[in-house]
Amino acid sequence: MNFKAAKVSLQDILPYRDLYLQEMNRQIRYNACHQRGWSDSYLLYADEIIIGYGAVKGQEIADRDTIFEFYLLPLYQHLATRIFAVLAHVSEAKYIEPQSNALLLTTMLYEFGTNIRAEAILFEDDRVTRLSVPDVVFRSKEEYESTFGKKVEDGSGFVLEKGGEVIGSGDFLLHYNKPFADLYMEVAEGHRNKGLGAYLIQELKKVCYLAGRIPAARCNINNKASKATLLKGGLRVSGCMLLGEVKRQESN
């Protein structure tokens, strides 16, 4: 059987990427790399039959050194090792960077990679919470500015207000695969460790759903405070971002 990886346009891989997104059914961390032109696309062939696709981005935006998506049609997934070797060779990839819930590429990472580490924790929605904080009100940016005549300095769409002052802010980002969105928030330094972060996440989840999106989030693997906040706010761990170097082939 002959295998081939051919560089193509993004448009060429979209039918297969739709199947990948359906299979994943969760937020794709580097989805925007496709939309912003920060990746190269490859169709994968076995005996001239298209069996899937791969995508390569860079550790730096201008580079193309990292395989970050790898999908094969179910009928051909038993060929993963053989076609991935071709993709890695043709693309000259130096790194493999899956999210651990993308099982096929994660398997390839552990087969073809070395110096593997986790760099971020991924979260998805888990449960409804009913947190509250006395004298603290969750408001939209517009409501806060019209009520108090003050600007929200960081531009976030939502704030926590206490006594007319902003003590926390956050929003959700939409440059991910639909219907998912990415939550972010920050609590003012003098108001931390009071449950405000988890309350803010809880309320951001609500407005995210009302906007027709499913909330997700991430944090650095070493940020224990953020992890605890996201879990308390009703999210759960769904995976990790992994990174490894492609093993160098030994020359004879």
Side-chain angles (χ1 to χ4, degrees):
M1 185 171 283
N2 296 313
F3 297 98
K4 180 174 70 173
K7 187 186 291 189
V8 296
S9 70
L10 173 60
Q11 195 69 27
D12 291 325
I13 70 167
L14 290 183
Y16 308 98
R17 190 162 192 269
D18 285 344
L19 294 175
Y20 169 72
L21 294 176
Q22 183 182 48
E23 180 181 280
M24 288 291 291
N25 193 29
R26 50 175 40 99
Q27 184 192 55
I28 304 301
R29 168 70 179 88
Y30 288 117
N31 187 73
C33 287
H34 297 284
Q35 302 166 347
R36 295 172 178 174
W38 295 349
S39 63
D40 288 342
S41 303
Y42 292 82
L43 282 176
L44 307 176
Y45 294 81
D47 288 341
E48 301 304 318
I49 298 171
I50 297 173
I51 64 173
Y53 82 94
V56 180
K57 68 176 187 69
Q59 291 300 298
E60 301 294 334
I61 289 176
D63 295 333
R64 298 292 182 269
D65 56 13
T66 306
I67 298 172
F68 73 106
E69 285 184 12
F70 177 63
Y71 173 78
L72 296 178
L73 298 169
L75 183 63
Y76 297 101
Q77 289 188 2
H78 66 288
L79 301 173
T81 295
R82 297 169 71 184
I83 189 62
F84 188 85
V86 174
L87 174 63
H89 174 73
V90 170
S91 66
E92 300 182 333
K94 298 177 181 178
Y95 304 95
I96 306 167
E97 189 172 7
Q99 46 194 81
S100 63
N101 43 36
L103 300 182
L104 189 61
L105 185 53
T106 298
T107 301
M108 296 299 98
L109 170 65
Y110 282 95
E111 184 170 347
F112 288 86
T114 187
N115 296 327
I116 297 167
R117 60 269 193 195
E119 300 199 329
I121 306 172
L122 306 175
F123 296 83
E124 62 188 8
D125 194 19
D126 181 35
R127 66 196 187 281
V128 174
T129 56
R130 293 176 175 82
L131 306 172
S132 62
V133 182
D135 304 318
V136 174
V137 181
F138 177 82
R139 300 183 187 274
S140 70
K141 171 186 174 183
E142 293 77 15
E143 180 188 359
Y144 175 81
E145 292 181 345
S146 64
T147 300
F148 297 100
K150 302 176 183 179
K151 290 289 185 182
V152 176
E153 296 298 333
D154 68 359
S156 296
F158 302 91
V159 301
L160 293 182
E161 171 264 319
K162 183 176 183 180
E165 297 299 320
V166 172
I167 60 173
S169 60
D171 210 333
F172 53 92
L173 301 174
L174 299 177
H175 56 271
Y176 294 87
N177 50 307
K178 291 182 178 179
F180 299 96
D182 195 65
L183 306 184
Y184 73 88
M185 63 86 195
E186 185 171 5
V187 174
E189 193 166 339
H191 296 273
R192 294 173 184 170
N193 300 313
K194 299 177 182 179
L196 293 172
Y199 175 62
L200 184 49
I201 288 294
Q202 169 187 276
E203 298 305 300
L204 287 171
K205 283 172 51 181
K206 293 177 184 177
V207 294
C208 187
Y209 275 120
L210 289 171
R213 294 299 188 111
I214 297 175
R218 69 182 186 278
C219 72
N220 184 277
I221 192 77
N222 297 314
N223 194 331
K224 295 181 180 180
S226 287
K227 179 182 178 182
T229 294
L230 293 167
L231 293 174
K232 186 177 179 181
L235 301 177
R236 66 184 175 196
V237 174
S238 63
C240 290
M241 290 306 305
L242 303 174
L243 179 66
E245 301 166 20
V246 176
K247 293 176 185 175
R248 297 175 61 182
Q249 297 296 317
E250 297 292 336
S251 57
N252 295 326

